Amino acid sequence: GLVTLTRLACYLQSSVFTRHRKLLLQILLPHVTRLHQIRTPPVAAMMQEGLDDGPDFLSEEERGPRAVNVDLQTDATLQVDISDALSERDKVKFTVHTKTTLPNFKQNEFSVVRQHEEFIWLHDSFVENEEYAGYIIPPAPPRPDFDASREKLQKLGEGEGSMTKEEFTKMKQELEAEYLAIFKKTVAMHEVFLCRVAAHPVLRKDMNFHVFLEYNQDLSVRGKNKKEKLEDFFKNVVKSADGVLVAGVKDVDDFFEHEKTFLIEYHNRVKDASVKSDRMIRSHKSAADDINRIASTMYSIGTQDSTDMCKFFLKVSELFEKTRKIEARVAADEDLKLADLLKYYLRESQAAKDLLYRRGRALVDYENANKALDKARAKNKDVLQAETSQQLCCQKFEKISESAKQELIDFKTRRVAAFRKNLVELAELELKHAKGNLQLLQSCLGVLKGDT
Amino acid sequence: MEASTERNPPPFPDPMDRETNSNKLEEESDDEGEDIFTGNIKSTSGTPVNQIPTDIFTEEGSGTTLQSHRVPQQDANGLRSEDDQDLFSEATVELSIDKVNNRERKEMTRPSPSVQDISFKSSATNKSLEEWEEEENKDKFELNIAVTNPEKVGDGMNAYMAYKVSTQTTLPMFKSTTFSVRRRFSDFLGLSEKLSEKHSHHGYIVPPPPEKSVVGMTKVKVGKEDHSSAEFVERRRAALERYLKRVVSHQTLLQDPDVREFLEKDELPRAVSTQALSGAGFLKMINKASDAVNKMTIKMNESDNWFEEKFQEVENEEQQLRKLHTVVDALVNHRKELCVNTAVFAKSMAMLGTSEDNTALSRALSQLAEVEDKMEHLHQEQACSDFFLFAELLADYIRLLGAVRNSFDHRMKTWQKWQDAQNTLQKKREVEAKLLWANKPDKLQQAKEEITEWEAKVTQYEGDFERICTTVRQEVLRFEKEKARDFKIHIIKYLESLLLSQQRIIKYWEAFLPEAKAIV
């Protein structure tokens, strides 16, 4: 902990300070110390959240990564987590920490610093690797997006002169909290990706993965330039067109046919649910913000005078201040347990669909190879070549089919477990907050009624 | 203000437990017979009320019937035993009637120009004001008013909404104890016009009526049976009810026969001058504009700082409340938005649940969808209570503060009148002096007459001014008390509704939790 802190402190000192960075750092420094993981059996549970010094029911809670695979618990041979993270002007630096007993690594415990692009590079290397065609590739973490938050921070800095000190402090606190929340989320998502890879029996052995974990220099992975992005775009277009064709081919195997229909429908519905949940949570946040403003306005009315009514207003403003914190927490928790869950499974179901696509593609290739072989035999020309080709296709197809089946079953298990965990936690948190709110309201009403 | 002289003032009763010799300023300035009420207390409480008013009052209650905050009733009165008084549990207006023991004071506040002695000293005023401030809870009479049953009458552009105004009272000035009439919005406006004309230039704070809304009404007229027009009608109904309650809680206004007529009379002549696009309407607008200009030009020598301070306070408060109202409005809108989004999300969750092939998880997701559905209803109700209890309260008070400012303005006008009269008198005196010098006896006579006339006017206006000062002071204090009480009551109700929501949230999630845990 101390080592990390001093390292960070040095790092911070050396950076060039702009006004924004100053603000950002002011915000982060007190919190960075808390970005230590807490080791608990499943996979490393995350940072603690301490927004304010409120009463107990407002304090810390744990968060786990989204996809909880029950098998992950017992694996001590390779444990990966993100022990630290630092946000700079336009990038986030993650400290990837590995603990392993595997012989392939030089040490048993080590850390490297990685950026988002390097994660993407790793993910893409999996996708492009033919060997892994039969596996669900863990979805890549989304890009850290602090733009909105940064904008707000900038506006706040500019408008500093035009608002009262209390308002400024309050807004700054809110923005800090928001920034922190986004920050923690992105760290969690990057961690989940690594954990999934580490838990996968085949992927964990990947060379690139080992390099990623161990090589403590910059991987010199640059983001894709415009040309490459354009290529990607076209590739995707072709792929989706192809995907439609491939999906149209009815599968002989019932299991896969069922999975295909299921996944397509499920994916669409998860997408819908994810979008709608986002909207709902945003409204909730707005409502909480409004209560905040009501609290401040009532406070300023209450401080005008010392009449009975003013005292009354002050008490009510206090109450609203507290309840809005709880409401904000409710929205944040819903975001975490529900919206993020849905988003994650949106991405995973897409990855599962991709797997099915690859299998479908292999099947089509196999069938085409069969046809080619028949034709070659008929013409008695290039038969050997056709035979080898057909055999390759057959092998490839069967290999994919075999692993795909297991992968899809695992996916189901993981999904059910993750939903269960998150729904239970969601319900518990909602209850906790509602009870907290209730308590606040009851005590306040008691005081107010007693006064009158 | 007409004095109801048909009543014979009964002899001075022995005040029950009140100080006999306090110099209290009375509130019903016109009615020498205010003692009637004290005299009659015994008689009315004795008479059992046979009529069971259930039929009138059991109609749809006010849309904001929540956990009612029962205001304790003093008089044990047959009506109280009715248990379907939900309509009135929030509606009780407690009238307090001052005991008048000092005839001198009484006569002084009579508006008729026959002012005998202005033995009025500011110190005395202050003392009596204090005592008046201390005095609370006198004999309470019941007067419960409800506005219910909005019904559309007629069709097309000539249609209007008629509301049922039900009164339940033990006040003897009414012909019966329970009665109801049908009134339309323009009737209310007509009433408020009359009250304003009669009372506001004496400095009374006349509650402003609910606002007109051409758009809202047109929708209703055209017959759009949708949610927003239903909302509009409900909002108006609630506003009308609050308006009437405020009117009758003001002693002076209650005594006004127009109010009585409004509550009692079956058919009222149509108040045409309240129409927005009528000749009278335009005239009013012009008058308002000219008033505003005049206001700006009056510079008053404020002898009493109290008025200056209070006026500032009132203005500040109005500003603050406006700000608060905007924010509460935003909250209402966001909650409505949340409501819609939650409903949409619930459906989406249900869909996801059906496509999920693990049965336990599928069931849990459907349950979650149901929980969210219930939450949507909760948010809807919460938004309603946000609006009716909080936002409307603020809106009402913003308008009332406007009325308070009006009474201050009237005071200024009265002062101006007095000053003008003094100036005219001065001028007349100068004319007289000139005539004396020029020695024109016939014109002199005329001048002398004019002087006497103006002297009388000056005295009268001075008296008016003193009176309006007192009234304004009284009114402001009364208003502040009422405001504090109103706010407390409503905000407490609002918090109680919040509390209820939280309890329900707990219930819903507690029901869901085992389902979630049952996922295998």
Side-chain angles (χ1 to χ4, degrees), chain A residues 190-240:
Chain A
H190 284 76
E191 193 183 76
V192 155
F193 170 69
L194 292 179
C195 293
R196 287 265 283 114
V197 175
H200 194 282
V202 175
L203 292 177
R204 71 188 343 217
K205 299 189 192 135
D206 183 79
M207 247 348 273
N208 284 336
F209 184 48
H210 289 188
V211 166
F212 179 93
L213 288 179
E214 218 181 7
Y215 186 63
N216 54 17
Q217 307 283 330
D218 192 4
L219 287 175
S220 305
V221 165
R222 57 175 175 74
K224 296 192 173 157
N225 63 22
K226 279 212 183 104
K227 178 160 168 279
E228 285 168 344
K229 284 197 184 145
L230 202 61
E231 280 174 9
D232 268 354
F233 173 70
F234 279 123
K235 251 195 256 170
N236 277 333
V237 169
V238 168
K239 182 172 155 220
S240 28

Side-chain angles (χ1 to χ4, degrees), chain B residues 12-30:
Chain B
F12 255 14
D14 288 323
M16 305 200 183
D17 42 335
R18 314 272 180 248
E19 322 84 82
T20 23
N21 296 317
S22 48
N23 299 331
K24 297 190 204 71
L25 283 168
E26 55 144 1
E27 299 170 69
E28 291 88 63
S29 42
D30 55 344

Side-chain angles (χ1 to χ4, degrees), chain A residues 288-450:
Chain A
D289 282 342
D290 286 334
I291 300 182
N292 190 19
R293 261 177 285 156
I294 292 179
S296 328
T297 321
M298 287 188 100
Y299 180 78
S300 53
I301 297 181
T303 48
Q304 299 239 311
D305 220 329
S306 60
T307 61
D308 258 359
M309 180 155 139
C310 288
K311 282 191 225 142
F312 183 77
F313 265 69
L314 278 177
K315 284 213 194 81
V316 177
S317 126
E318 209 182 290
L319 169 74
F320 279 148
E321 184 57 46
K322 293 196 190 130
T323 56
R324 79 105 191 153
K325 281 200 189 116
I326 296 187
E327 286 296 324
R329 286 300 287 261
V330 170
D333 287 338
E334 284 179 348
D335 196 22
L336 227 53
K337 302 293 170 188
L338 203 48
D340 279 354
L341 175 73
L342 292 170
K343 273 196 207 96
Y344 186 79
Y345 277 96
L346 177 64
R347 295 203 308 277
E348 269 240 26
S349 57
Q350 182 61 48
K353 273 172 73 180
D354 288 344
L355 169 64
L356 280 181
Y357 161 73
R358 290 196 291 271
R359 180 178 171 278
R361 180 83 250 158
L363 178 62
V364 166
D365 286 345
Y366 179 37
E367 286 176 354
N368 287 345
N370 272 338
K371 285 194 203 126
L373 180 62
D374 286 344
K375 236 201 311 198
R377 282 200 179 132
K379 283 195 195 153
N380 208 3
K381 187 175 162 203
D382 293 325
V383 173
L384 193 60
Q385 192 182 11
E387 268 180 358
T388 7
S389 155
Q390 189 253 25
Q391 263 189 342
L392 276 173
C393 284
C394 176
Q395 275 172 356
K396 182 175 168 195
F397 173 68
E398 281 175 355
K399 180 167 170 235
I400 291 182
S401 286
E402 196 183 305
S403 57
K405 196 165 194 161
Q406 188 56 44
E407 286 282 303
L408 288 170
I409 293 174
D410 285 346
F411 171 64
K412 226 179 273 282
T413 325
R414 263 203 314 273
R415 187 180 74 239
V416 172
F419 266 81
R420 180 186 192 281
K421 176 172 184 281
N422 280 297
L423 288 179
V424 167
E425 284 177 0
L426 174 71
E428 285 174 347
L429 284 168
E430 293 265 6
L431 277 173
K432 175 171 137 184
H433 293 315
K435 286 187 180 146
N437 246 341
L438 187 68
Q439 194 188 10
L440 275 179
L441 283 166
Q442 276 170 338
S443 70
C444 183
L445 272 172
V447 169
L448 290 177
K449 280 188 183 164

Side-chain angles (χ1 to χ4, degrees), chain A residues 262 265-266 269-270 273 276-277 279-280 283 290 304 412 415-416 420 427 430-431 434 437 449 452, chain B residues 320 330-331 334 337-338 341 344-345 348 351-352 354-358 488 496 502 506 513 517 519:
Chain A
F262 165 73
E265 191 188 59
Y266 187 79
R269 295 205 176 155
V270 162
K276 308 260 163 81
S277 78
R279 256 188 244 155
M280 177 179 83
S283 299
D290 286 334
Q304 299 239 311
K412 226 179 273 282
R415 187 180 74 239
V416 172
R420 180 186 192 281
E430 293 265 6
L431 277 173
N437 246 341
K449 280 188 183 164
T452 48
Chain B
Q320 299 276 19
L331 176 64
H334 282 137
E337 207 182 273
L338 177 61
N341 287 340
V344 163
F345 174 68
S348 156
M351 293 291 283
L352 186 64
T354 52
S355 68
E356 174 62 62
D357 55 1
N358 177 310
K488 274 197 193 145
E496 282 175 348
Q502 295 300 320
I506 290 178
L513 193 54
K517 289 198 170 147
I519 300 174

Side-chain angles (χ1 to χ4, degrees), chain B residues 184-194 209-210 212 271 274:
Chain B
R184 53 185 290 188
F185 187 65
S186 53
D187 293 337
F188 285 82
L189 291 180
L191 174 68
S192 104
E193 285 270 318
K194 289 191 207 147
K212 278 200 255 225
T274 59

Side-chain angles (χ1 to χ4, degrees), chain A residues 115-125 140-143 193 212 221 224:
Chain A
Q115 290 185 30
H116 175 74
E117 287 76 22
E118 292 163 315
F119 285 77
I120 299 300
W121 164 82
L122 183 62
H123 171 260
D124 289 348
S125 75
R143 203 181 74 84
F193 170 69
F212 179 93
V221 165
K224 296 192 173 157

